[in-house]
Amino acid sequence: MPESGAGRARSPVDSASTGGTLSEPDLERWAAELGRIAVDARLFVALYGPLGAGKSTLVRAACRGVGVDGPIPSPTFTLINEHSTQGGDRISHVDLYRIETESQLLDLGWQDLLAGEHAIFVEWAERAAGHLPQRRWDVVLDIPENPNRRTVSATPIGGAPDPAPAPC
């Protein structure tokens, strides 16, 4: 499976991306707003970035922003964690780091997951290149020279709503 950003091509009809360089508290505030929009729109959120860039932090903050109570662990070993908001909305948190082949992705129940009408946050989304839904956000996180900050960008793809602007 490709490791590149092959699944991140933008259509000319897509809106401009939003981005910035954020402290962890700013990242968490931004992610909480992203979570609210994603849950309301039942959106797929493809997360890209190196180890330690803040992908799990972003998903935890997004879940907290929509009222998920209790622990929100990373699904590194379970691969998929399901969460429910206080209002009854469902959120899937997927970690594809250990997925190496298309058959492993499909065996995970990928098609059934995509068929659900709920928000889905996927870490290491590049491992599902070619199997990503057309309507989604591509969120890229990175670690700049200052290790206490993260660069972020969010791009709507396929008619997805605009993400919340990142605070600068």
Side-chain angles (χ1 to χ4, degrees):
M1 291 177 44
E3 294 274 338
S4 71
R8 294 189 284 176
R10 284 191 56 213
S11 159
V13 299
D14 291 329
S15 300
S17 63
T18 182
T21 302
L22 309 177
S23 65
E24 187 168 337
D26 285 340
L27 174 64
E28 290 174 350
R29 280 190 289 281
W30 181 63
E33 184 60 27
L34 288 181
R36 286 189 283 280
I37 298 168
V39 166
D40 287 346
R42 293 173 163 60
L43 197 59
F44 185 99
V45 181
L47 300 167
Y48 302 91
L51 282 170
K55 295 179 296 293
S56 291
T57 298
L58 184 144
V59 176
R60 272 191 293 278
C63 287
R64 292 283 182 237
V66 294
V68 173
D69 290 327
I72 304 172
S74 174
T76 301
F77 297 105
T78 59
L79 303 183
I80 300 175
N81 288 342
E82 297 287 334
H83 304 287
S84 293
T85 68
Q86 294 170 348
D89 290 306
R90 185 172 138 219
I91 301 169
S92 293
H93 179 188
V94 183
D95 187 328
L96 298 180
Y97 182 75
R98 298 184 320 138
I99 297 296
E100 296 177 359
T101 66
E102 181 177 23
S103 65
Q104 287 177 325
L105 178 71
L106 298 176
D107 288 346
L108 181 65
W110 189 252
Q111 297 303 335
D112 291 335
L113 180 71
L114 295 182
E117 290 288 323
H118 65 288
I120 304 169
F121 288 81
V122 178
E123 298 184 41
W124 303 100
E126 63 271 20
R127 296 181 184 250
H131 294 277
L132 298 175
Q134 293 221 337
R135 183 178 174 270
R136 66 180 188 270
W137 284 337
D138 283 351
V139 178
V140 180
L141 296 104
D142 206 355
I143 306 167
E145 288 183 28
N146 180 344
N148 296 319
R149 299 186 69 78
R150 297 295 182 263
T151 57
V152 298
S153 69
T155 304
I157 306 292
D162 288 340
C168 294

